[in-house]
Amino acid sequence: MDAGSLSSSNAGRSRCPLQEQQLQKKHSRENLDRFIPNRSAMDFDYAHYMVTDGRKGKENPSICSPSREAYQKRLAETLNMNRTRILAFRNKPPAPVELIPKEFFSSGSNDKPVKARRHIPQTSERTLDAPDLVDDYYLNLLDWGSANVLAIALGNTVYLWNANDGSTSELVTVDDEVGPITSVNWAPDGRHIGIGFQNSEVQLWDSTANRQLRTLRGGHRMRVGSLAWNNHILTTGGMDGKIINNDVRIRDHIVGTYRGHDQEVCGLKWSSSGQQLASGGNDNVLHIWDRSMASSNSATQWLHRLEDHTSAVKALAWCPFQSNLLATGGGASDRTIKFWNTHTGACLNSVDTGSQVCALLWNKNERELLSSHGFSQNQLTLWKYPSMVKMGELTGHTSRVLFMAQSPDGCTVASAAADETLRFWNVFGAPEVAKPAAKSYNAEPFAHINRIR
């Protein structure tokens, strides 16, 4: 035999064993040889009958009458003798057992409906021009009131955009000695608005009557870049580092002062309960203040002083579904979103976003957080809480997104950027409409039974 024939013969043998090894390996878990019948799965009496007597009629069809064949067929069906296999190589799997009969379930009642995944539009649904918007990270120039009117400060003028009909009006324009405008914030009633100025004054306006109600003076020495309402208390934060509570109902409006920041106060937010105030400053410090500790006679001591951020703390957002949870965002050299337990002062989580955090907003209907950013993408990022997985990134602005405001229904977000545009995003979707409760016609037990009088 030549070498060529030997090599080809070996090659032919090598292919077959490999296939068999793969097959054996595939069935190795069953502990059964595929060529050896499983005795426990066989009926030996039936097998003996099929090998001997069961085949006689087929081998000698002449001695089988039609009536006999019909009888044998009925007998085989009754005794389960219509099987064709004699050898069995594995046990049959046991029949499934119904623990609870199907009739106990109504059709579809046990199927939980699957919630459809919400579509998140990647582009803005509306874009408005915002000329002369001041490109200053430390200011707060955008707010959306409960009456569905958006206020934005452009240079020395405050404009109102009515989201109900799309109309625009001018509320106030000031001289250069007073302006530019450095902060705007709606009162809870959606009618009155506070406006902070470069010259340290704060004005209170009635937007419906389009008239100024009063001017708050004497509290700050420098510009007022942040405002926050708590019922009839208007809290102001200034470049002088002071935070002042102003009762707008009384003549001597200063009713409390908070001192703790060494530089400009650029973020102010009251909790939904009105008991805690969060303040962020250009000194990289976050303070939590307790309203019950406020005093007009002396500076109020903070509840927590938190110094984990490494840049200015402007973005503040209280969680709508957990009263003691606060989200904060840091500036360009920090780039993180941090979550705080404001009762204990503990930092619960910190997420590096990769860019300056300018503003934060919680979704009122879902556990989601929206952040706006600066260089390099100038994007809005939607996060799932608490996993902080990115759900989407909204792009369109060409410069840092300095301010964000949320519509009263919580669905639409307005963003204002240094590219002098105001964009509207349907990022949070429509809230779920609560189904009306089923009417109870039998308000009391046995109401359907006639009373015996």
Side-chain angles (χ1 to χ4, degrees), residues 59-352:
E59 293 173 2
N60 304 296
S62 59
I63 63 175
C64 293
S65 63
S67 60
R68 182 177 178 85
E69 289 183 356
Y71 169 74
Q72 290 180 345
K73 183 177 180 181
R74 292 291 301 274
L75 183 64
E77 290 176 354
T78 304
L79 299 178
N80 192 24
M81 297 173 64
N82 285 330
R83 296 172 290 173
T84 58
R85 292 186 178 182
I86 297 176
L87 302 179
F89 298 105
R90 66 180 65 187
N91 291 319
K92 291 184 178 180
V97 179
E98 286 188 0
L99 299 179
I100 303 177
K102 292 181 179 179
E103 55 266 21
F104 283 92
F105 297 100
S106 59
S107 60
S109 61
N110 59 336
D111 296 333
K112 187 176 181 181
V114 179
K115 187 175 181 180
R117 185 174 181 180
R118 189 178 83 249
H119 172 66
I120 303 173
Q122 300 297 305
T123 57
S124 57
E125 61 179 9
R126 183 193 295 260
T127 302
L128 303 178
D129 289 330
D132 300 325
L133 181 72
V134 179
D135 182 7
D136 193 325
Y137 177 80
Y138 305 103
L139 306 184
N140 293 273
L141 305 179
L142 182 70
D143 196 28
W144 203 328
S146 60
N148 208 18
V149 177
L150 186 81
I152 184 170
L154 302 177
N156 293 349
T157 304
V158 173
Y159 292 93
L160 304 180
W161 182 78
N162 192 320
N164 297 313
D165 56 16
S167 61
T168 304
S169 61
E170 179 182 321
L171 180 64
V172 56
T173 299
V174 296
D175 299 331
D176 291 338
E177 292 78 13
V178 178
I181 296 165
T182 52
S183 55
V184 294
N185 195 238
W186 284 102
D189 61 7
R191 174 175 178 172
H192 300 94
I193 186 171
I195 305 173
F197 295 94
Q198 179 74 24
N199 71 343
S200 78
E201 293 182 354
V202 177
Q203 294 182 6
L204 182 63
W205 280 74
D206 184 338
S207 63
T208 304
N210 199 29
R211 67 185 183 94
Q212 181 181 347
L213 300 178
R214 66 179 302 180
T215 300
L216 307 179
R217 298 185 178 92
H220 297 279
R221 303 187 311 272
M222 305 174 74
R223 71 177 185 181
V224 180
S226 53
L227 303 171
W229 284 91
N230 188 1
N231 294 322
H232 55 272
I233 300 295
L234 176 58
T235 304
T236 59
M239 198 174 189
D240 53 11
K242 288 199 301 182
I243 301 170
I244 298 174
N245 282 346
N246 301 272
D247 190 335
V248 298
R249 303 171 300 175
I250 59 179
R251 181 180 181 87
D252 297 327
H253 52 86
I254 300 177
V255 295
T257 303
Y258 305 95
R259 293 182 183 272
H261 290 284
D262 298 327
Q263 297 185 39
E264 182 170 14
V265 178
C266 50
L268 277 180
K269 283 288 189 304
W270 281 100
S271 64
S272 58
S273 65
Q275 294 302 311
Q276 289 188 331
L277 173 68
S279 66
N282 193 31
D283 53 3
N284 311 342
V285 175
L286 168 67
H287 280 114
I288 307 297
W289 312 87
D290 194 299
R291 181 182 180 183
S292 62
M293 300 170 62
S295 172
S296 59
N297 299 324
S298 60
T300 304
Q301 180 65 27
W302 57 77
L303 183 64
H304 299 293
R305 179 181 173 91
L306 308 169
E307 303 179 4
D308 293 37
H309 282 290
T310 58
S311 188
V313 185
K314 176 197 174 186
L316 307 172
W318 290 92
C319 179
F321 52 82
Q322 188 173 337
S323 60
N324 64 328
L325 177 61
L326 176 70
T328 62
S333 61
D334 180 271
R335 306 183 304 274
T336 66
I337 298 175
K338 298 185 188 296
F339 298 91
W340 309 87
N341 182 332
T342 59
H343 289 344
T344 64
C347 182
L348 306 177
N349 192 13
S350 180
V351 178
D352 188 351

Side-chain angles (χ1 to χ4, degrees), residues 420-446:
E420 298 188 344
T421 63
L422 177 64
R423 294 176 181 264
F424 295 84
W425 314 82
N426 189 22
V427 60
F428 289 146
E432 292 184 358
V433 179
K435 295 182 179 179
K439 294 183 179 179
S440 177
Y441 296 98
N442 298 331
E444 53 184 290
F446 311 109

